[in-house]
Amino acid sequence: MEGAESCGKSVTSEEEAKPECEEGEVMMMQEQDGSAVASAPAAAEAMAPAQIDVRMDVALLHCQACLLPLKPPVFKCEAAGHVVCCFCRAGHAGLCSRATAHCGELDVVVGAVKVPCPYKVFGCERYVVYHDAADHQRACQCAPCSCPEPGCAFVGSRAALLGHFTAGHQRPAVTVRYGRAWNLSFSLAHRWHALVGDEDRSLFLLSLGPLGAATAVSLLCVRPDGEAAAAPRFRCKLSVERQAGDDKDNLVLMASAVGSSALSTGAPAPGQGMFLAVPQELISGDTLTLSLRVDLIRPAAGAGGAPKVPSQLLHRRPGRRGGCSD
């Protein structure tokens, strides 16, 4: 608390008139009318429920039938006191007896036990309820991605990776806005270049590489593994055009959904996935001038996107009903 933090510090002449505080004491401030009130941060801390860090056998937080994290409502069987989740409640009868006793006390415990995000080392400061930890891990904005530069071992969140591109490789990202074409020039001396969406700071990797007599160009969205398996969020259109000597335009064009990757194996190899093959005659020296457009894929009206499926449902054994049994 603020009062405890100020104990033991040297004071200036202006502070000498303030009373010293003892450990655990709430720091008080004098209002103009002379009444004493607790400072807002100290008062809020004093009113907040006390919390402690504990260690326990993680198996105690798992269903004894399916071995998945327990989520309220929690039940136990009458025969041996086995603790099971609502999905295993009826099927447990074949092993012991039907689990009919609802454990309201355990509901409170499993609904309150929190663990730090596994990506704390990458910047996430959140503590999440244990049975929701897997869902949080899949969506955590601090989930790590890898640097695509060969030989570079950097791993970090997308925000950290963006800074690493500038500080570690002197390749700051090019900012683009969605829904419009951008004419950009890229050096062929580098195998990859970074782009960032102005609207949501999504990170993209433009890859360049030789493919026979042509240069393969591809675009992917840098997303953690948990997000990379989801449906594409963007579409792109890549094109290279150059006027020929006979006043005719030479043009190559590609439009596709933008794939995703955490770059754990580096930048994609030339010709991997969807790519644009640019002939040498459309390239000026060691620079590729490219027209690039990125569009955000928006959910259909009224669809609201794919429904979120709880991790407990994703891991159900075949034959179970879609909800807790009565």
Side-chain angles (χ1 to χ4, degrees), residues 16 19 23 38 64 87 103 109 119 143 149 167 217 222 239 242 244-245 252 260 273 279 286 298 300 310:
E16 289 174 355
E23 186 175 358
Q64 291 180 274
F87 297 107
C103 303
V109 173
Y119 300 133
E149 184 68 15
V217 184
V222 181
S239 64
R242 189 174 182 185
V252 289
S260 300
D286 64 349
R298 303 186 184 279

Side-chain angles (χ1 to χ4, degrees), residues 49-105:
Q51 297 190 4
I52 58 173
D53 292 333
V54 299
R55 285 178 175 269
M56 63 185 299
D57 185 352
V58 72
L60 297 175
L61 298 175
H62 286 240
C63 171
Q64 291 180 274
C66 67
L67 305 182
L68 292 173
L70 287 166
K71 177 181 286 190
V74 180
F75 297 86
K76 70 176 180 180
C77 69
E78 300 292 347
H82 293 138
V83 177
V84 295
C85 67
C86 63
F87 297 107
C88 297
R89 176 186 175 189
H92 192 63
L95 181 64
C96 287
S97 65
R98 182 178 176 86
T100 56
H102 174 219
C103 303
E105 297 84 356

